[in-house]
Amino acid sequence: MTAPFSVHLVALFQYVAGLLVLLGAVGIALLLYGHGRIIDERRIQVPQAVRERIQGGQAGWVMVAGLGVVALMWLTIARSLQRGQQWARITVLTLSMLSIAATGYDAYHFQDGPVLVGLALPVLYVLLLSTRPARSWFRWGTW
C-alpha cells in the first residue's frame, strides 16, 4: 500500500528542500576547496565580503557539516513520511506550527506584511497532513 497523495506531496516538498540544502553545502565546500576560483571560473559572482568570511577560518567547514546534517535529517523525514511513521508527521506538524507562530510574530512586531508569504508552506503542510487519509495512513498504515 502506498501513502495518500497529500502525504506524497508533503514528502516531495521535503525532498526538494533537503536536496537544495545539500546543494548549498556542496557549493560552500567547492568555494572553500577552490579558494573561490572554482565558482568564479564558471562566471558565478560571489561577493568579496561573503568569500572572505567563508574562507577565513573553520566557519566554512562548520557550515558545510551543519548543512549536510540538516539535509540528511530533511531527507530522512521525507522518507519516513512516505513510510507512515508517526514521529515524522509530528515533527513536520510541530515545526510548521512553530514557523507559523514565528512568521505571525514577525509580521506583527515589524509591521511587515510581505513576510506573511512565509506562511504558505507551513499552512499547506498542516492542512495536507491533517486530512483524513493522511491521519489514517500514519495511524494504521492504510487509507
Side-chain angles (χ1 to χ4, degrees):
M1 185 108 206
T2 182
F5 174 74
S6 60
V7 175
H8 279 299
L9 190 59
V10 174
L12 175 68
F13 280 119
Q14 301 299 311
Y15 279 126
V16 169
L19 291 175
L20 287 175
V21 171
L22 194 58
L23 182 64
V26 169
I28 293 172
L30 287 176
L31 183 62
L32 289 170
Y33 181 71
H35 302 289
R37 292 186 306 268
I38 292 175
I39 293 180
D40 286 340
E41 288 174 3
R42 303 225 188 308
R43 306 233 189 271
I44 297 173
Q45 298 297 320
V46 177
Q48 186 64 28
V50 172
R51 185 181 305 138
E52 288 173 2
R53 287 187 180 159
I54 290 175
Q55 289 176 350
Q58 299 294 320
W61 293 113
V62 171
M63 287 173 27
V64 169
L67 287 175
V69 168
V70 168
L72 288 176
M73 287 182 359
W74 230 320
L75 295 171
T76 301
I77 288 172
R79 183 64 185 139
S80 297
L81 283 172
Q82 286 183 316
R83 293 181 63 203
Q85 296 181 355
Q86 183 73 351
W87 70 266
R89 177 178 178 260
I90 297 298
T91 301
V92 172
L93 288 175
T94 302
L95 291 175
S96 295
M97 295 307 289
L98 289 172
S99 178
I100 290 168
T103 303
Y105 174 76
D106 283 347
Y108 174 75
H109 182 33
F110 298 112
Q111 299 298 313
D112 188 17
V115 79
L116 291 175
V117 172
L119 291 174
L121 283 178
V123 168
L124 182 66
Y125 294 159
V126 169
L127 292 176
L128 289 175
L129 291 178
S130 298
T131 62
R132 180 166 290 157
R135 287 179 301 181
S136 176
W137 172 251
F138 290 104
R139 184 167 293 145
W140 293 294
T142 184
W143 54 283

